[in-house]
Amino acid sequence: MKATMTMLMADVDLHIVGVFFASLLGLCFVLIFSLFRHGRAKMKRNARSYPGVVGSEFNRSSDCCGTDVIIVGAGVAGAALAHTLAMDGRRVHVIERDLSEPDRIVGELLQPGGYLKLIELGLQDCVGSIDAQRVLGYGLFKDGKHIRLSYPLEQFNSDVAGRSFHNGRFIQRMREKAASLPNVLLEQGTVTSLLEENGIVKGVLYKTKSGEELKACAPLTIVCDGCFSNLRRSLCSPKVEVPSHFVGLVLENCQLPFPNHGHVILADPSPILFYPISSTEIRCLVDVPAGQKLPSVANGEMAKYLKTVVAPQVPPQLHDAFVVAVDKGNIRTMPNRSMPATPQPTPGALLMGDAFNMRHPLTGGGMTVVLSDIVVLRDLLRPLHDLNDAASLCRYLESFYTLRKPVASTINTLAGALYKVFCASPDEARKEMRQACFDYLGLGGVFSNGPVALLSGLNPRPLSLVAHFFAVAVYGVGRLLVPFPSPSRLWLGVRLLLGAAGIILPIIKAEGVRQMFFPATVPAYYRTLDVR
């Protein structure tokens, strides 16, 4: 029966793709054609810059420092990567600025797709003994109405679900697990710069906890120093945007309307999130758009804003606990950053994690992306016994940027598009799109399971994402034309479709149309076959 239902859902999903791809094709044709030419020219330039890998002819000279890989940063990305590479026999030196337990208000929700990657990496026990909570789906609230959206987990074993937790506890467990391996050196220190020689990164310069200046060398340096990376400008040309800020609170001694679910309130001006982070604590994140001045915490403006503007929009079950949390005064803020991956291949070095690619944290997809990236990189490096031919290794690892795209681009695009749809707007077309999204998800069946599978990282198919996004837009137009169309409603429907295209197409362009939808046409996609 499960197999039949899965096949039926797949057929309906493909039907949606067929129906709405035609509407998308006309909008995208010119963009795809121009980007294809640009990408082809860039590929040819890169091919001239880095000679190809011939068989397994990597330089066999030994590394003088006895280290295979230096990892800068020991957050989720760095700690998980250190353990993964060490389990494959690599000698790994991890340098982290601060080894005390982090205290962050994001990175607390791991989607089911990310949990599957955690299992694949052998790190699933890191969510044990930290009071992590199972997450089974989402509750979506708008104007006093609500819908319950469950993850489509029927085909997985009972352990597979999302997990929510204190970010710092999770990171400390992964650090402990990595440091327990004999071929991992985990050291506290501040990396000040990369060591370069003839355009090849040879290692790093860093200061130890005691202030001593040292250098560390290795054939491969992987920079995972997070969203505030000091080193990313040495390895790429970042285009960082700050679409909003999160205001963080912890609610205690209260129950969520839907236990073991994340909660998204489509508030004005932008969404409010609630999810459990322990058996007694609920995280609340209030989004404040970039166009709005962030109230000051110090002078009491923030507390007033939360009580007068936000509290009336909070579900009744959480209202009193929310006000108590505001009165306690432990209010945290942080910028939400968005940065598309802009690969700039550099011999001897690689960027990963938030130092390389960020998206709005509304959908909680960041850890899923980085854990998926680690699986891709691990599989690419496994055939290589030696990493010392920097130029050849650099060209070979260009395939990483293409192979990561199905998961990364789906989650990145969905996060950016959903945030824009979920924000309130005075524009009537945007209001209709927001309502259409809520109602579309409320239809159930494939109309909710499809988008939730994308959100959860269980269905990394960009084409399915685009199909559902435009299905929402067409559904919104249909609502406007029932029971009788009028000229004003027809025009509003046209504006809705144009607005939908204006939301998603720039995000797709930033992700890379060719890599996102046609990765098999990128020559780097096949470079994994060059090493035997």
Side-chain angles (χ1 to χ4, degrees):
M1 174 64 76
K2 289 182 181 178
T4 304
M5 289 298 294
T6 301
M7 291 176 63
L8 180 59
M9 289 175 61
D11 289 342
V12 176
D13 200 33
L14 288 173
H15 176 68
I16 292 176
V17 171
V19 171
F20 295 105
F21 185 67
S23 64
L24 175 66
L25 189 60
L27 293 170
C28 290
F29 178 79
V30 174
L31 178 63
I32 292 173
F33 181 73
S34 61
L35 288 177
F36 178 86
R37 290 195 303 172
H38 174 73
R40 188 175 182 183
K42 184 174 180 181
M43 181 272 295
K44 288 181 178 179
R45 290 196 299 270
N46 287 341
R48 289 194 296 267
S49 300
Y50 302 103
V53 177
V54 180
S56 58
E57 294 179 2
F58 281 83
N59 190 337
R60 297 293 177 182
S61 63
S62 61
D63 173 48
C64 63
C65 298
T67 301
D68 296 311
V69 181
I70 293 169
I71 297 176
V72 181
V76 172
L81 184 61
H83 178 269
T84 300
L85 296 183
M87 288 296 291
D88 277 357
R90 309 286 182 188
R91 297 159 299 176
V92 182
H93 184 183
V94 187
I95 305 171
E96 163 58 38
R97 182 182 60 82
D98 184 359
L99 286 175
S100 61
E101 184 173 306
D103 183 14
R104 302 185 66 204
I105 64 172
V106 293
E108 298 172 317
L109 178 61
L110 180 65
Q111 297 286 3
Y115 184 69
L116 287 172
K117 296 299 179 183
L118 207 64
I119 294 173
E120 193 171 346
L121 295 171
L123 291 167
Q124 67 272 25
D125 58 333
C126 291
V127 297
S129 70
I130 61 171
D131 200 15
Q133 303 297 297
R134 286 169 57 84
V135 179
L136 304 175
Y138 279 89
L140 192 61
F141 294 72
K142 184 180 186 295
D143 300 331
K145 299 179 180 179
H146 57 77
I147 52 179
R148 186 173 184 165
L149 305 169
S150 298
Y151 293 134
L153 300 173
E154 295 80 9
Q155 61 181 312
F156 302 101
N157 67 50
S158 59
D159 182 54
V160 176
R163 295 292 193 279
S164 54
F165 39 69
H166 281 271
N167 172 268
R169 296 176 187 174
F170 179 55
I171 288 175
Q172 289 300 86
R173 285 286 291 117
M174 288 205 294
R175 287 175 177 174
E176 291 167 7
K177 186 152 185 175
S180 69
L181 299 176
N183 48 336
V184 173
L185 170 62
L186 178 58
E187 182 178 10
Q188 182 162 308
T190 302
V191 174
T192 55
S193 64
L194 300 174
L195 279 173
E196 290 192 40
E197 182 180 315
N198 299 323
I200 299 174
V201 174
K202 298 288 188 178
V204 298
L205 292 173
Y206 70 104
K207 287 185 179 180
T208 64
K209 186 177 180 180
S210 62
E212 183 181 5
E213 294 187 354
L214 297 175
K215 71 175 181 178
C217 56
L220 180 60
T221 299
I222 303 177
V223 175
C224 309
D225 56 346
C227 61
F228 301 105
S229 173
N230 295 318
L231 301 176
R232 69 161 66 99
R233 290 190 178 277
S234 302
L235 300 173
C236 73
S237 301
K239 297 178 181 178
V240 180
E241 296 182 358
V242 181
S244 67
H245 285 74
F246 266 160
V247 180
L249 300 165
V250 175
L251 280 58
E252 298 177 329
N253 303 316
C254 62
Q255 295 294 321
L256 289 165
F258 300 127
N260 298 106
H261 282 63
H263 292 62
V264 182
I265 290 80
L266 302 188
D268 187 355
S270 53
I272 307 167
L273 308 180
F274 294 93
Y275 51 87
I277 55 174
S278 75
S279 55
T280 60
E281 298 166 298
I282 293 171
R283 169 67 71 194
C284 172
L285 295 173
V286 178
D287 187 86
V288 180
Q292 179 178 319
K293 182 179 180 292
L294 186 68
S296 170
V297 174
N299 64 13
E301 286 181 359
M302 180 62 77
K304 181 180 178 182
Y305 173 80
L306 293 173
K307 285 185 175 182
T308 58
V309 177
V310 179
Q313 304 182 75
V314 171
Q317 301 95 318
L318 301 171
H319 180 273
D320 291 346
F322 179 84
V323 173
V324 169
V326 174
D327 288 338
K328 270 185 152 182
N330 187 20
I331 302 171
R332 308 270 301 279
T333 64
M334 70 157 291
N336 293 323
R337 298 181 171 226
S338 177
M339 186 183 80
T342 52
Q344 185 174 306
T346 304
L350 195 68
L351 272 171
M352 288 195 74
D354 284 349
F356 171 55
N357 185 203
M358 295 180 282
R359 76 291 308 149
H360 195 285
L362 172 69
T363 59
M367 288 188 288
T368 301
V369 171
V370 74
L371 292 172
S372 175
D373 285 353
I374 290 171
V375 170
V376 172
L377 183 63
R378 177 200 65 182
D379 294 344
L380 282 171
L381 292 179
R382 268 183 171 169
L384 308 181
H385 301 293
D386 187 84
L387 308 175
N388 281 286
D389 189 334
S392 294
L393 178 63
C394 178
R395 177 170 167 79
Y396 170 60
L397 289 182
E398 282 186 50
S399 60
F400 167 77
Y401 303 117
T402 301
L403 294 171
R404 69 182 293 273
K405 275 294 177 182
V407 174
S409 62
T410 300
I411 292 174
N412 293 346
T413 304
L414 181 62
L418 266 189
Y419 177 70
K420 291 184 178 181
V421 170
F422 281 177
C423 284
S425 171
D427 181 72
E428 286 299 321
R430 289 285 293 273
K431 287 181 182 179
E432 289 292 336
M433 184 69 179
R434 193 187 198 207
Q435 186 64 48
C437 186
F438 184 84
D439 293 343
Y440 181 89
L441 292 170
L443 293 174
V446 69
F447 304 105
S448 62
N449 286 343
V452 174
L454 292 162
L455 174 73
S456 61
L458 297 172
N459 177 22
R461 290 164 55 192
L463 191 58
S464 181
L465 165 62
V466 172
H468 279 288
F469 187 82
F470 279 96
V472 169
V474 173
Y475 175 75
V477 173
R479 291 171 66 253
L480 289 170
L481 302 183
V482 174
F484 300 106
S486 66
S488 62
R489 284 179 163 264
L490 278 171
W491 174 237
L492 185 57
V494 171
R495 286 173 51 207
L496 192 157
L497 286 173
L498 292 175
I503 287 173
I504 199 169
L505 293 184
I507 303 173
I508 291 174
K509 179 182 177 183
E511 287 293 317
V513 174
R514 187 180 180 192
Q515 292 86 346
M516 186 170 174
F517 294 104
F518 314 109
T521 69
V522 180
Y525 182 86
Y526 301 98
R527 287 185 189 154
T528 54
L529 303 177
D530 292 340
V531 178
R532 292 180 280 274

